[in-house]
Amino acid sequence: MRRAVALTALLLATSAATAQNSTPQPLPFDNRIPIAKDVAYPGTMTVKVDATDVQQAIYRVKQTIPVADSGPMVLMMPAWLPGKHAARGEIEKLAGLKIRANGKPVPWTRDTVDVWAFHLDVPAGAKQLDIEFQFVGATDRDQGRVSIAPTMLNLQFEQVSLYPAGYFTRRIPVSATVTYPKGWTAVSGLPAKKQGDAYVYETTDYETLIDSPVFAGRNYREFKLSDRVDLNVFADEPEELDAKPEQIDAHKKLVEQSVKLFGSQHYDQYEFLLAISDEMGGIGLEHHRSSENGVGPGYFTKWSEGPGSRNLLPHEFVHSWNGKFRRGNDSWTPDFRTPMRDSLLWVYEGQTQFWGYVLQARSGIVSKQDTLDMLANIAASLDNRPAREWRPLVDTTNDPIISARRPKGWVSWQRSEDYYNEGLLIWLEADAKLRELSGGKKSMDDFARAFFGMRDGDWGVLTYDLAEVVATLNTIQPYDWAGFLKARVYDVAPKAPLAGFTANGYRLIYTDEPTAAFKNAEKRASRADFSYSLGLAVGKGGAIGSVTWDSPAFNAGLDLGDTIVAVAGREYSDDRLKAAIVEAKASKAPIKLMIKSGTRYRETTIDYTGGLRYPRLEKIGTGEGGLDRLLQAR
């Protein structure tokens, strides 16, 4: 009885105290940004950019925007950018914004919800807005990607322009002029006329302008790949431009093989923009009539050392068909404010990843054997990702928005943008299924031509949905394709879809010797990869770069931020850790490590005796299999 009385008294006291607390109501959002409409904008914007200050990485912008009426107006900086799959517009780098009309300042206020939006009132009698601002580019990597360097720059027009809200961006005319450092060459997918150090770009619509970035630099060389495709190479040092004829021939074959595959071209002229630099940040970004590609030094000069980053150009070129011309209907937006929904990225990026690897082999940019070895690395990585137990592949299409490609502590348990590589595996399995059901008469080549190969020269956007993907597969070879895709994309699957190998003549195995492609990947990443043995990868100075969830390393308490300082009492080296793994297999004794975490040290042991394990593909049976045929030049 006493307990009941005491409890009642406590509840009454709690209720009384709660009743005295302040209880606010939410302030409604005041959305004064007009929705985009498919109507013509009254007038042509002009954008003039001074891009000569490459030392301080500052673009200076002057822009005019015609206006037809006085009153409220909203100007936007592009936020949701195609190819980035998220709101990545660098609004933080816009500085010094001043707006004038009739020679007088026009005050502005930033929208408190959509921070890419600026509200203003156009004064009576004004015919245009005169705008000035600067884009203050990153001068160090901790500020974002470095896009302006002493010998080259990568100008993206969303960095240096605003646009009026309330219109489809394809209905806003614009004319741009950019002045570059003296003696530099500039290339874009948008045609331009050179006037001194300035390039006057063809008047176009704002959507096309944003899809037409520029690479410019002091050290430049152009290679003609076809009558409609150019390879434009910029480099920190002139010697990086020294491409051998056989290397350029492989790039010519990339274009040839791509056109044979798809049966059409969705551009009037296509410009590969390739930067070979360790001063400007790397990039891989697709556009309809061009692509931005940034790699480290050695693209041509270290060709014989391994595949390096040579998958980049095949991947981005495929995007002209898949991602630019054909695009999931929920990721196409009428302006750069409307949020994208990325649910079909396993087609957009996944099938592009698939065709990128196929075309690198067909063209000879990467050898068939290196391609097989790279595919083995992909398969092993995804097959040893325990996050598959709880997170379906389709959910990873949200990752560009969720994490903005920031590093993750436990990728194997969180997953990342797996729709790229697991999408590749799904389409590889679809190829095997098409071959099986058709008796070898059909393959993913047939899908490519049917889905992407219409309307030659059309560089608009033709959207699709899941139903069209399924229907196209069924026109090639009837099957339960809806169920096939549901099980692999939308359902949780404990193991990676590897039937594309086993049904096409190969299986994934592990040996104690890494493939050449595996070693090349380790070298490029400056790490030793023990993911399939200990469950960790080690970077420079013994710093742990990744730990696989529920692996021997994980169960020993290791994580990112730890550094291995000693192995069995001796100073850490990659070779010592390899030797310890080999020795533990014979002795069955745990591996002893000294670990540093911040300023603290601790001893730990990893209970693992399975030896070194590296992935590779092993041929099943004899003769030519489906995967062999898939990688053959046409």
Side-chain angles (χ1 to χ4, degrees):
M1 188 64 178
R2 288 183 179 179
R3 288 182 182 175
V5 171
L7 179 58
T8 300
L10 177 61
L11 290 172
L12 289 172
T14 301
S15 299
T18 302
Q20 296 173 13
N21 287 342
S22 300
T23 55
Q25 294 297 309
L27 180 69
F29 291 136
D30 182 15
N31 182 15
R32 295 179 290 127
I33 303 175
I35 300 298
K37 296 180 180 179
D38 194 4
V39 296
Y41 186 76
T44 300
M45 301 192 304
T46 67
V47 176
K48 293 186 178 180
V49 182
D50 180 347
T52 58
D53 189 355
V54 295
Q55 183 59 48
Q56 293 180 300
I58 299 171
Y59 296 142
R60 292 174 170 83
V61 181
K62 293 184 177 180
Q63 182 175 0
T64 65
I65 300 180
V67 292
D69 300 302
S70 60
M73 185 175 185
V74 180
L75 299 180
M76 307 290 303
M77 186 179 188
W80 288 82
L81 297 165
K84 297 188 178 181
H85 313 311
R88 299 282 179 80
E90 296 179 280
I91 187 65
E92 77 282 3
K93 293 182 173 62
L94 184 152
L97 177 62
K98 296 178 181 178
I99 304 174
R100 302 178 73 85
N102 297 328
K104 297 180 180 179
V106 176
W108 56 264
T109 58
R110 191 189 302 266
D111 194 276
T112 54
V113 176
D114 188 336
V115 297
W116 288 267
F118 301 91
H119 297 269
L120 57 96
D121 284 305
V122 177
K127 300 300 182 184
Q128 69 178 37
L129 300 175
D130 299 303
I131 302 168
E132 292 186 25
F133 65 89
Q134 301 82 44
F135 178 85
V136 288
T139 53
D140 201 349
R141 293 178 182 178
D142 63 1
Q143 302 162 23
R145 174 177 173 256
V146 174
S147 61
I148 308 170
T151 59
M152 70 176 70
L153 61 81
N154 174 198
L155 185 147
Q156 299 168 326
F157 281 104
E158 67 266 16
Q159 301 167 337
V160 293
S161 61
L162 303 176
Y163 70 96
Y167 298 84
F168 280 25
T169 52
R170 69 187 181 203
R171 303 298 300 274
I172 304 173
V174 60
S175 178
T177 301
V178 183
T179 302
Y180 301 98
K182 192 173 185 62
W184 282 29
T185 301
V187 182
S188 170
L190 184 65
K193 292 182 179 179
K194 194 171 187 299
Q195 297 180 358
D197 295 323
Y199 283 68
V200 180
Y201 292 91
E202 178 180 273
T203 298
T204 188
D205 61 84
Y206 191 65
E207 181 178 78
T208 300
L209 181 71
I210 299 306
D211 197 42
S212 306
V214 180
F215 273 23
R218 182 178 295 117
N219 304 311
Y220 166 72
R221 191 172 178 185
E222 178 189 36
F223 301 94
K224 297 292 293 183
L225 302 184
S226 77
D227 60 341
R228 290 164 71 174
V229 181
D230 298 329
L231 174 60
N232 303 278
V233 188
F234 298 84
D236 293 336
E237 304 297 337
E239 53 266 28
E240 291 289 342
L241 303 174
D242 185 22
K244 302 294 187 292
E246 59 270 23
Q247 296 168 343
I248 299 304
D249 284 344
H251 289 79
K252 290 179 179 179
K253 289 176 182 174
L254 170 62
V255 176
E256 174 190 304
Q257 290 294 315
S258 299
V259 174
K260 284 184 176 181
L261 171 66
F262 296 114
S264 64
Q265 297 177 79
H266 297 296
Y267 43 79
D268 49 356
Q269 183 72 24
Y270 188 94
E271 307 291 347
F272 280 109
L273 307 177
L274 174 61
I276 304 175
S277 175
D278 57 9
E279 294 183 342
M280 191 169 79
I283 191 172
L285 189 58
E286 65 273 14
H287 303 280
H288 229 128
R289 298 190 288 173
S290 65
S291 57
E292 298 168 276
N293 307 277
V295 299
Y299 182 84
F300 293 120
T301 59
K302 297 180 181 179
W303 188 277
S304 62
E305 294 184 10
S309 54
R310 297 203 299 273
N311 175 257
L312 180 60
L313 268 63
H315 179 97
E316 300 304 339
F317 191 41
V318 170
H319 269 316
S320 183
W321 290 267
N322 184 13
K324 301 308 294 185
F325 175 58
R326 300 305 315 265
R327 197 178 309 172
N329 58 4
D330 63 354
S331 66
W332 180 84
T333 57
D335 62 6
F336 303 116
R337 179 193 178 226
T338 306
M340 298 173 185
R341 289 157 291 174
D342 296 333
S343 68
L344 288 162
L345 284 182
W346 54 274
V347 183
Y348 179 130
E349 293 289 4
Q351 195 170 140
T352 296
Q353 191 81 327
F354 168 79
W355 287 122
Y357 278 88
V358 169
L359 287 168
Q360 74 176 28
R362 290 185 185 182
S363 65
I365 283 180
V366 177
S367 71
K368 176 187 173 182
Q369 186 57 55
D370 279 340
T371 299
L372 290 171
D373 292 343
M374 293 166 78
L375 291 173
N377 296 345
I378 288 171
S381 171
L382 291 164
D383 203 40
N384 288 272
R385 189 156 286 186
R388 327 177 49 80
E389 298 172 9
W390 69 272
R391 193 177 184 199
L393 178 67
V394 70
D395 192 51
T396 73
T397 64
N398 296 302
D399 278 348
I401 301 168
I402 292 172
S403 63
R405 294 184 172 171
R406 291 185 295 269
K408 292 183 175 181
W410 300 101
V411 171
S412 61
W413 188 238
Q414 295 168 279
R415 299 195 81 160
S416 187
E417 296 181 46
D418 289 358
Y419 53 83
Y420 276 91
N421 282 334
E422 191 151 332
L424 179 160
L425 297 181
I426 290 169
W427 292 112
L428 183 60
E429 185 176 0
D431 179 79
K433 183 59 69 174
L434 287 168
R435 292 177 192 274
E436 173 197 333
L437 295 173
S438 67
K441 295 178 181 179
K442 301 293 183 178
S443 70
M444 279 298 294
D445 284 59
D446 297 281
F447 180 91
R449 185 171 290 264
F451 200 73
F452 304 109
M454 68 288 286
R455 303 187 188 183
D456 184 73
D458 180 353
W459 42 278
V461 179
L462 184 62
T463 61
Y464 60 84
D465 58 13
L466 175 61
E468 186 181 350
V469 176
V470 171
T472 304
L473 286 165
N474 274 313
T475 62
I476 296 165
Q477 179 62 54
Y479 181 62
D480 180 16
W481 291 108
F484 174 92
L485 294 173
K486 179 182 181 298
R488 290 153 183 80
V489 177
Y490 298 93
D491 294 345
V492 171
K495 302 297 289 182
L498 302 185
F501 297 110
T502 54
N504 259 347
Y506 287 84
R507 60 173 160 251
L508 178 66
I509 64 169
Y510 296 87
T511 66
D512 58 6
E513 282 294 327
T515 63
F518 192 97
K519 288 189 285 188
N520 182 247
E522 285 185 309
K523 183 177 180 180
R524 287 177 58 219
S526 299
R527 69 177 191 173
D529 192 345
F530 305 103
S531 296
Y532 310 110
S533 52
L534 299 182
L536 57 77
V538 187
K540 292 181 179 179
I544 294 178
S546 68
V547 175
T548 302
W549 191 271
D550 204 25
S551 67
F554 176 90
N555 294 330
L558 300 181
D559 59 60
L560 271 71
D562 286 344
T563 298
I564 306 174
V565 296
V567 180
R570 300 189 66 189
E571 183 180 26
Y572 176 82
S573 73
D574 296 343
D575 287 341
R576 283 202 176 107
L577 186 52
K578 285 183 183 179
I581 295 170
V582 172
E583 182 180 342
K585 183 177 182 180
S587 67
K588 306 302 180 186
I591 298 168
K592 297 180 180 180
L593 304 175
M594 175 67 74
I595 304 298
K596 180 183 179 185
S597 300
T599 59
R600 299 178 183 274
Y601 290 80
R602 70 181 189 277
E603 291 184 346
T604 192
T605 59
I606 299 181
D607 188 10
Y608 173 76
T609 59
L612 295 168
R613 297 178 79 244
Y614 300 101
R616 67 174 67 230
L617 293 178
E618 179 181 68
K619 184 83 169 164
I620 299 173
T622 59
E624 187 180 68
L627 185 52
D628 298 312
R629 289 188 285 274
L630 179 66
L631 300 180
Q632 284 176 354
R634 299 303 189 249

